Amino acid sequence: MDRWGVAIRPGPDEDYGFLLAELRFGEERLREAEVRFKLIVETIPGAAYIAEPGENGAWIYISPRLEELLGYAADEWIAQPKLWIGLIHPDDRQYVLEDEDTWTETTGGMHIGEYRLKARDGSYRWIRDAATARPGDRPGDKALWFGVLSDITASRENEEALRESQQLLQAVLETAQDAFVAVDSAGNVLEWNRRAETMFGRCRETVLGHQLTELVVPERLRPLSPLSLASLDATRSADLSGVTLELTAMRANGAEFPVELSLWSTRSGPSHRYNAFIRDITEQKRLQNELHDMAFRDALTSLPNRALFCERLDAALAEADPETTQAVLFLDVDDFKVVNDSLGHAAGDHLLSITADRLRACVRPGDTVARIAGDEFAVLLPEVAALEDAWAVADRIRRALAEPVVVGGCATTNSASIGIAASTAERRLSAAGLLQESDAAMYHAKRSGKNVCVVFEPGIHATSVARMALRADLAAAMGRGELFLLFQPYFDLGDGSLVG
């Protein structure tokens, strides 16, 4: 046989020494090949093997790596053909044998199977069996499996941990009280949990792959929505941890409602994925409005209270055209104490409610009627052409309140004293100044006989200051004992009698 494996029949004159040298050369090449094969199979990260198929098939060869893999020596493994099948995990055994039978009939190509084998220490190791089936050399010969057994326990455990983590995450998302949605870099829906289904009225199957903004954002708000593509692109490099946004969302039936949005982005391969928790804050907004009403509304009449009136007055003065007039009407219900004391507090409250309703009916939609305190009310006219217009409104209110009313089962007439103050182009006033002057004008109306309207004039202020000073002086004099009574008799000079 020559070096190429071709049989040579020597002739009578052949040099048998030459043939012997060729034979030795071939044997040397074979030994070199065996060394290279041994080096390869013993250094690969796994146990290389040659085996017959089936549970009774013989193991022709297995590399020493087997001992590192499962704790068994190669000779021990080869000597016990049924050892391998006995070590397969009971749950995997039938699958492995059936899979092997199928692939043995289809020789060629790489087959990869994963199953558990029991190591000598009793633990099960996940094995990846990568092999190819080669038919026998002669008809009737069994096929042989050439393959490698590799330990993938750590990889499978990591995969299992990841799978469990994903299942836990999915369970959390599916049972969350907030809607969870995720979109790809093009804004198409990737995730949509059960809460999102109930919140927006759309099934998961019908939204996947569709634009999120078209599903949950009113059309008029889409261009500037935080969920628009332009806004999402802007979030890529931003740190949104702990950031929440409030926006208006839309249900499938077109109904709009307020939501709170927590948005963040993650990498998904070469592109970004955007995730959001969405909370329906309809009830929260309702409670906020109720608290606002409690803080800024009068409980009896539902009118703005003094705090809200002053807030609106400040805003009206700040936003006013310099050429316009802003007016405040300050009114006090005349003889309210008589009604309250004679008919009871319930009747007094009824009278105040009627007064509030009549005041509302006398003003424009943009005007503000407020209950300042007790039986005192105020009206803000944020824009009138002239002071005369404010007077006309005050007179209309005075006449409306004078209409007869039944309270506590008794018919009575009602009236109010009204003070008017205005901030004009010629004389600009602050909110405090308007309130002070309208209040002073109202007290002047009271002293003028009630049921009248009085426009503030500088003299009213002087009179009010003088009265306040007199009141203070009298109180101080009483405290110091400076007030005393003098008796001055009057006599008739004709007869000397006491006449007074």
Side-chain angles (χ1 to χ4, degrees):
M1 179 178 294
D2 66 9
R3 70 178 64 187
W4 310 112
V6 178
I8 301 175
R9 182 180 297 277
D13 299 326
E14 284 285 348
D15 182 356
Y16 282 96
F18 172 76
L19 293 176
L20 182 60
E22 287 292 301
L23 178 62
R24 288 175 178 171
F25 177 77
E27 290 174 345
E28 182 64 27
R29 293 291 299 275
L30 180 60
R31 282 194 296 272
E32 289 177 1
E34 289 176 347
V35 170
R36 285 197 297 271
F37 174 76
K38 184 177 181 182
L39 181 63
I40 292 172
V41 300
E42 291 185 3
T43 55
I44 60 175
Y49 69 87
I50 304 172
E52 294 177 347
E55 55 184 311
N56 296 315
W59 286 78
I60 310 302
Y61 170 81
I62 191 163
S63 67
R65 284 272 188 176
L66 178 68
E67 189 162 3
E68 181 182 324
L69 191 69
L70 296 171
Y72 292 96
D75 293 343
E76 180 183 9
W77 190 271
I78 293 172
Q80 302 178 61
K82 290 192 174 184
L83 180 59
W84 168 72
I85 196 67
L87 295 177
I88 298 176
H89 192 285
D91 294 344
D92 302 338
R93 190 171 297 146
Q94 184 172 354
Y95 141 73
V96 171
L97 292 175
E98 291 176 354
D99 199 40
E100 184 179 70
D101 288 344
T102 301
W103 271 85
T104 300
E105 296 174 1
T106 309
T107 57
M110 180 65 68
H111 170 259
I112 297 177
E114 295 182 0
Y115 53 89
R116 287 162 289 183
L117 281 177
K118 190 175 185 180
R120 186 181 290 278
D121 62 6
S123 65
Y124 278 98
R125 312 295 295 171
W126 273 100
I127 301 297
R128 174 175 285 124
D129 190 345
T132 184
R134 200 193 78 179
D137 293 332
R138 292 181 297 274
D141 286 356
K142 290 184 176 181
L144 293 179
W145 280 95
F146 292 78
V148 177
L149 303 178
S150 305
D151 187 347
I152 59 167
T153 304
S155 174
R156 287 298 292 256
E157 288 177 348
N158 289 338
E159 289 176 4
E160 181 65 19
L162 178 60
R163 185 183 64 81
E164 291 178 356
S165 176
Q166 290 174 335
Q167 288 180 340
L168 177 60
L169 175 60
Q170 193 64 30
V172 170
L173 293 178
E174 288 302 318
T175 57
Q177 294 301 305
D178 296 338
F180 174 77
V181 299
V183 298
D184 60 20
S185 56
N188 298 316
V189 176
L190 298 173
E191 295 289 345
W192 187 269
N193 70 351
R194 292 179 185 174
R195 180 59 181 145
E197 290 185 332
T198 59
M199 182 181 294
F200 296 104
R202 298 181 186 274
C203 308
R204 185 175 188 272
E205 292 75 15
T206 64
V207 301
L208 294 180
H210 292 274
Q211 283 282 309
L212 179 62
T213 52
E214 295 179 2
L215 298 171
V216 304
V217 179
E219 185 174 359
R220 72 182 190 284
L221 302 176
R222 289 171 193 168
L224 299 178
S225 170
L227 299 179
S228 68
L229 285 181
S231 298
L232 291 177
D233 287 341
T235 67
R236 290 187 179 183
S237 59
D239 181 11
L240 299 177
S241 303
V243 175
T244 58
L245 305 171
E246 288 189 10
L247 62 149
T248 300
M250 177 183 67
R251 305 189 200 277
N253 61 7
E256 297 182 6
F257 64 106
V259 296
E260 184 179 80
L261 179 75
S262 300
L263 178 68
W264 72 101
S265 65
T266 53
R267 295 284 298 183
S268 180
S271 62
H272 277 75
R273 162 181 163 140
Y274 303 95
N275 313 278
F277 275 114
I278 304 174
R279 174 172 298 177
D280 184 345
I281 56 173
T282 303
E283 183 64 15
Q284 179 180 329
K285 285 295 183 183
R286 186 187 67 79
L287 293 174
Q288 286 179 354
N289 291 335
E290 286 185 1
L291 290 174
H292 181 273
D293 285 346
M294 290 174 63
F296 294 101
R297 294 265 172 192
D298 173 54
L300 174 64
T301 63
S302 297
L303 292 175
N305 61 12
R306 186 185 188 95
L308 183 54
F309 182 84
C310 291
E311 182 180 299
R312 292 186 180 178
L313 178 56
D314 283 329
L317 293 174
E319 299 168 4
D321 186 318
E323 299 303 317
T324 61
T325 295
Q326 295 76 47
V328 170
L329 315 182
F330 204 104
L331 62 98
D332 181 88
V333 178
D334 295 330
D335 301 320
F336 174 74
K337 189 174 185 302
V338 175
V339 175
N340 218 28
D341 292 345
S342 59
L343 300 179
H345 290 288
D349 288 346
H350 186 205
L351 178 58
L352 292 175
S353 296
I354 293 174
T355 301
D357 291 339
R358 291 182 176 182
L359 285 172
R360 287 191 189 96
C362 291
V363 300
R364 302 166 300 182
D367 300 333
T368 297
V369 178
R371 182 185 178 198
I372 301 302
D375 60 346
E376 294 180 340
F377 295 83
V379 177
L380 167 62
L381 306 176
E383 183 175 340
V384 290
L387 185 57
E388 289 76 15
D389 295 327
W391 171 271
V393 174
D395 190 56
R396 183 164 64 246
I397 289 173
R398 183 188 63 78
R399 286 185 281 105
L401 296 183
E403 292 291 329
V405 61
V406 176
V407 291
C410 296
T412 182
T413 56
N414 190 22
S415 67
S417 300
I418 304 175
I420 306 169
S423 176
T424 65
E426 296 77 19
R427 184 171 176 268
R428 282 293 163 196
L429 294 177
S430 66
L434 273 173
L435 282 173
Q436 181 181 1
E437 290 190 359
S438 60
D439 185 42
M442 182 271 293
Y443 276 107
H444 189 76
K446 283 278 189 190
R447 293 193 298 271
S448 299
K450 304 177 183 179
N451 193 26
V452 294
C453 303
V454 173
V455 176
F456 178 83
E457 294 178 354
I460 292 176
H461 179 65
T463 302
S464 297
V465 171
R467 288 178 64 86
M468 289 176 60
L470 178 59
R471 187 182 297 113
D473 289 345
L474 287 173
M478 289 177 65
R480 294 192 296 265
E482 295 176 349
L483 296 181
F484 55 93
L485 179 64
L486 293 178
F487 177 69
Q488 175 64 57
Y490 289 92
F491 295 95
D492 187 336
L493 294 180
D495 59 9
S497 61
L498 181 65
V499 293

